[in-house]
């Protein structure tokens, strides 16, 4: 018969090993017999925790065996075993022990209500493989005892044992193979419980936060220099450093202006920086904002997503914002000129060279503290770019969908799949190169509540529901799960930056629907 586990559990009882071997060779290739070694009992009547030496499920019912090796003796109902050295060891009454274990298992099965329709025969027995046991008593029946003589023909003993208990009470069912498998699966289930996607993302979020804290060392480097060009790929912590640097400088009572191109990023930064000494503005609104604040020039200028401002007009504007202008003033520019330029304005190389001609220090960021290993690997292989190495080596694999379903239909299925994996709607952002009305998300929104982000709702990001944004507006932002839609599968120079920005927004899981 089949016995689980296939090898016996470690035990000090040589007798149990012998019984185990006998069971393996009994009823060979008969799927109506299933045995368990050392089955735990959580609902024992008399013990906080119990254990049955052997449990057998077969067509005749459910049966429990207690095994006692060596010699045995009983005096005044005190049972003891006798080892080879004639040493005595107190034990429980093996018949009561087997009966108690049987009741515990039977009650467990009844409590599940899975098998209410079955009338299962149950029984118990004791195996003494080392001695002849011929004592008569009203407390046991010889049909339930296997001694050394019966042990020689163990299969024959079992057959008579099963029939004894099955015929003891009438109207008992014989179990089918399916019954045996179902009860066996309940008693000692085969299972695989994998970590939920939601829990995986939570772990990576914690690890990402710890990794981001390491970026603070760059603040010390920046503070030691008056002008900084800080470069790094998506996810290397540029926006984080811009925010923290503005707070540190504000503590020195310096008037700081943080400038970016995107209205969305401006609103997002305002929620991260709440300080009377720090002003956040877009390049277009910077002069008006400065005038309204009654400030002639700011003492410090911090620029996020600097690659969007590398042109002569914007550099001229920046000159007018900071004391000493860019040539002599204090400024810190965070940029990714190699990968994220061109979504708003193309980089003017001559303007960038002019900026680099001013005395400054360079700080390269090389550690990606946002994206997991699979996301970085996908971006690197697809776009042949370097976005920094990550210490978040593992993570969910990137999910790609490329089939004949329309994007709206596929998006519905992907969203349903994510929600079924317990991902909170607020952790999911859908990105498209198209506006909401032209994107396939407009079809999916019929089945799911999807919030169209704008420069005002981004102040409360992440919002409570699934969110949608155009890729260019989501620069500098991030979410746990990003679903990229409406991009062609063929990557060209015109859409490469869109791919890069969209895919690198994902912190934990990236889904791409081609």
């Amino acid at each position: 018969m089949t016995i689980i586990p296939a090898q016996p559990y470690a035990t000090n009882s040589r007798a149990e090993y012998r019984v185990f071997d006998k069971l393996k060779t009994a009823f060979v290739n008969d799927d109506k017999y299933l045995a368990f070694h050392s089955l735990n009992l959580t609902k024992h009547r008399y013990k906080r925790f119990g254990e049955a030496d052997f449990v057998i499920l077969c067509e005749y019912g459910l049966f429990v065996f207690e095994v006692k090796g060596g010699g045995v003796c009983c005096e005044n109902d005190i049972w003891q075993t006798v080892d080879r050295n004639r040493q005595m060891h107190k034990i429980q009454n093996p018949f009561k022990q087997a009966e108690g274990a049987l009741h515990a298992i039977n009650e467990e099965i009844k409590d599940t209500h899975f098998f209410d329709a079955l009338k299962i025969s149950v029984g118990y027995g004791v195996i003494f493989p080392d001695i002849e046991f011929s004592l008569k008593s009203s407390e046991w029946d010889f049909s339930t005892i296997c001694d050394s003589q019966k042990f020689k023909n163990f299969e024959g003993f079992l057959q008579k044992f099963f029939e004894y208990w099955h015929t003891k009470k009438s109207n008992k069912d014989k179990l089918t193979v399916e019954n045996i498998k179902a009860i066996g699966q309940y008693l000692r289930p085969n299972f695989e419980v994998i970590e939920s996607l939601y829990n995986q993302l939570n772990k990576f979020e914690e690890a990402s936060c710890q990794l981001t804290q390491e970026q603070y060392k760059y603040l010390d480097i920046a503070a030691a220099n008056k002008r900084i060009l800080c470069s790094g790929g998506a996810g290397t912590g540029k926006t984080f450093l811009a925010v923290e640097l503005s707070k540190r400088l504000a503590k020195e009572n310096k008037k700081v202006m943080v400038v970016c191109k995107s209205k969305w990023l401006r609103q997002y930064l305002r929620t991260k920086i709440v300080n009377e000494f720090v002003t956040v503005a877009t390049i277009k609104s910077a002069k008006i904002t400065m005038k309204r604040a009654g400030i002639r020039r700011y003492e410090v200028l911090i620029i996020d997503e600097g690659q969007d401002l590398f042109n002569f007009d914007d550099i001229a504007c920046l000159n007018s914002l900071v004391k000493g202008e860019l040539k002599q003033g204090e400024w810190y520019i965070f940029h990714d000129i190699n990968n994220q330029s061109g979504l708003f304005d193309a980089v003017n190389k001559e303007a960038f060279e002019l900026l680099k001609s001013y005395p400054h220090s360079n700080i390269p960021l090389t550690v990606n503290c946002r994206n997991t290993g699979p996301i970085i690997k996908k971006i690197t292989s697809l776009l042949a770019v370097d976005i920094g190495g990550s210490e978040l080596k593992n993570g969910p694999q990137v999910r790609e969908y490329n089939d004949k379903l329309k994007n709206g239909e596929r998006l519905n299925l992907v969203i349903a799949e994510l929600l079924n994996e317990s991902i909170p709607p607020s952790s999911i952002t859908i990105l498209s190169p198209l506006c909401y009305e032209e994107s396939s998300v407009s079809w999916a929104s019929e089945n799911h509540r999807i919030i169209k982000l704008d420069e005002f709702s981004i102040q409360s990001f992440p919002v409570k529901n699934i969110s949608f944004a155009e890729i260019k507006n989501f620069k500098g932002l991030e979410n746990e799960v990003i679903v990229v839609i409406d991009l062609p599968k063929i990557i060209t120079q015109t859409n490469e930056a869109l791919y890069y920005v969209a895919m690198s927004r994902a912190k934990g899981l990236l889904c791409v629907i081609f």
Side-chain angles (χ1 to χ4, degrees):
M1 71 179 73
T2 301
I3 183 166
I4 300 174
Q7 298 297 325
Y9 286 117
T11 174
N12 293 324
S13 173
R14 292 180 64 252
E16 285 188 36
Y17 290 132
R18 293 178 63 198
V19 173
F20 188 97
D21 291 337
K22 285 283 190 177
L23 287 172
K24 287 187 71 173
T25 57
F27 305 102
V28 177
N29 298 326
D30 193 332
D31 55 4
K32 292 183 180 179
Y33 293 86
L34 178 63
F36 302 94
H37 178 220
S38 189
L39 187 71
N40 292 332
L41 310 174
T42 58
K43 293 187 178 180
H44 201 286
R45 288 183 178 179
Y46 313 114
K47 301 179 182 179
R48 294 181 61 188
F49 177 81
E51 180 185 48
D53 288 344
F54 290 94
V55 176
I56 298 177
L57 271 171
C58 67
E59 60 180 332
Y60 296 101
L62 183 148
F63 308 97
V64 171
F65 281 106
E66 185 67 22
V67 179
K68 296 302 177 186
V72 292
C73 68
C74 178
E75 185 173 349
N76 297 323
D77 201 31
I78 303 299
W79 285 75
Q80 298 185 81
T81 58
V82 185
D83 63 22
R84 297 175 181 177
N85 300 317
R86 305 295 296 175
Q87 295 293 317
M88 311 288 281
H89 304 278
K90 188 176 179 180
I91 61 171
Q92 292 180 319
N93 181 323
F95 297 97
K96 290 183 179 179
Q97 196 172 358
E99 183 183 16
L102 174 65
H103 285 303
I105 297 171
N106 199 30
E107 289 299 317
E108 182 73 42
I109 292 175
K110 287 180 179 179
D111 286 348
T112 66
H113 303 294
F114 295 156
F115 313 106
D116 283 348
L118 286 176
K119 297 177 181 178
I120 305 174
S121 292
V122 295
Y124 63 91
V126 178
I127 302 175
F128 300 110
D130 300 323
I131 61 172
E132 289 187 32
F133 194 92
S134 57
L135 294 171
K136 294 181 179 181
S137 171
S138 60
E139 288 195 304
W140 56 77
D141 189 299
F142 277 119
S143 297
T144 66
I145 299 171
C146 178
D147 64 5
S148 59
Q149 293 302 311
K150 294 178 182 178
F151 195 63
K152 294 175 183 178
N153 182 16
F154 192 55
E155 184 174 320
F157 160 76
L158 289 176
Q159 186 65 51
K160 293 178 180 179
F161 173 86
F162 298 145
E163 292 173 353
Y164 166 82
W165 283 108
H166 187 70
T167 57
K168 199 171 182 65
K169 288 187 179 180
S170 60
N171 300 321
K172 294 297 182 180
D173 298 324
K174 276 197 172 184
L175 300 183
T176 65
V177 173
E178 289 71 26
N179 296 151
I180 293 168
K181 288 181 178 178
I183 298 173
Q185 174 66 11
Y186 177 73
L187 293 178
R188 183 168 278 167
N190 294 317
F191 64 91
E192 179 183 14
V193 180
I194 62 174
E195 185 177 20
S196 70
L197 176 59
Y198 175 68
N199 193 57
Q200 289 183 58
L201 296 184
N202 278 343
K203 287 201 318 187
F204 289 119
E205 171 68 10
E206 293 173 4
S208 177
C209 289
Q210 293 177 0
L211 196 56
T212 301
Q213 297 302 308
E214 296 182 11
Q215 301 295 83
Y216 277 110
K217 64 185 179 183
Y218 291 107
L219 292 180
D220 296 329
I221 298 175
N225 295 274
K226 200 172 183 180
R227 288 174 290 276
I228 293 292
L229 270 176
C230 183
S231 62
T236 53
K238 299 185 297 298
T239 298
F240 169 81
L241 289 174
V243 169
E244 295 303 317
L245 183 59
S246 69
K247 294 177 181 178
R248 176 177 291 195
L249 294 171
K251 288 181 180 179
E252 301 174 12
N253 295 332
K254 290 183 178 180
K255 291 183 172 60
V256 181
M257 173 171 267
V258 180
V259 183
C260 60
K261 187 80 168 184
S262 165
K263 292 180 180 179
W264 285 38
L265 183 56
R266 175 195 62 187
Q267 297 293 72
Y268 178 74
L269 291 172
R270 281 178 174 175
T271 65
K272 299 295 182 182
I273 309 169
V274 182
N275 191 291
E276 61 179 316
F277 290 98
V278 181
T279 301
V280 183
T282 64
I283 190 67
K284 286 187 178 181
S285 65
K287 287 185 178 180
I288 297 176
T289 301
M290 182 173 65
K291 186 176 181 180
R292 288 175 177 172
I295 297 175
R296 296 188 60 183
R297 296 279 180 117
Y298 286 91
E299 295 171 82
V300 182
L301 201 58
I302 296 176
I303 297 100
D304 194 21
E305 299 291 341
Q307 70 278 355
D308 297 333
L309 310 180
F310 292 160
N311 59 77
F312 285 113
D313 289 340
D314 288 339
I315 287 178
C317 180
L318 294 174
N319 267 325
S320 66
L321 300 176
V322 64
K323 290 181 179 180
E325 300 186 340
L326 294 176
K327 189 172 185 178
Q328 297 179 340
E330 185 174 354
W331 49 262
Y332 305 88
I333 300 177
F334 299 88
H335 72 91
D336 183 9
I337 192 172
N338 294 323
N339 303 305
Q340 295 193 59
S341 60
L343 289 189
F344 287 104
D345 290 311
V347 171
N348 185 307
K349 293 184 179 179
E350 292 181 358
F352 185 48
E353 290 299 322
L354 173 64
L355 185 64
K356 291 196 297 181
S357 69
Y358 301 143
H360 72 279
S361 298
N362 291 304
I363 297 179
L365 301 177
T366 58
V367 176
N368 189 304
C369 51
R370 175 195 296 154
N371 309 123
T372 59
I375 295 174
I376 292 176
K377 184 178 179 181
K378 173 57 66 174
I379 296 173
T380 302
S381 62
L382 199 62
L383 304 177
V385 296
D386 181 9
I387 61 172
S390 176
E391 294 186 18
L392 306 174
K393 301 296 183 184
N394 300 316
Q397 293 300 309
V398 175
R399 300 180 182 182
E400 297 182 63
Y401 305 88
N402 182 25
D403 55 24
K404 296 181 180 179
L405 287 177
K406 293 180 181 179
N407 274 358
E409 297 175 9
R410 173 55 66 186
L411 181 56
N412 270 326
L413 294 175
V414 171
I415 291 173
E417 180 181 312
L418 294 172
L419 295 177
N420 286 337
E421 293 177 278
S422 301
I423 302 301
S426 60
S427 296
I428 304 172
T429 296
I430 302 166
L431 297 181
S432 169
L434 307 175
C435 67
Y436 185 91
E437 291 72 21
E438 297 177 4
S439 169
S440 56
V441 76
S442 60
W443 296 90
S445 62
E446 296 178 2
N447 295 332
H448 304 282
R449 181 167 170 74
I450 299 175
I451 300 298
K452 181 171 64 173
L453 296 174
D454 54 35
E455 61 181 282
F456 299 104
S457 60
I458 203 68
Q459 297 179 70
S460 303
F461 189 79
V463 293
K464 292 182 179 180
N465 298 97
I466 298 170
S467 53
F468 168 85
E470 287 186 58
I471 295 171
K472 66 177 183 180
N473 292 326
F474 209 68
K475 284 179 60 178
L477 306 175
E478 60 189 22
N479 208 347
E480 293 297 328
V481 179
I482 294 294
V483 182
V484 182
I485 60 174
D486 301 324
L487 279 174
K489 192 167 186 181
I490 299 176
I491 299 173
T492 64
Q493 287 185 340
T494 57
N495 63 29
E496 185 174 5
L498 288 169
Y499 261 101
Y500 177 85
V501 171
M503 297 173 74
S504 61
R505 300 305 101 192
K507 297 173 65 176
L509 174 64
L510 171 64
C511 303
V512 183
I513 303 176
F514 293 107

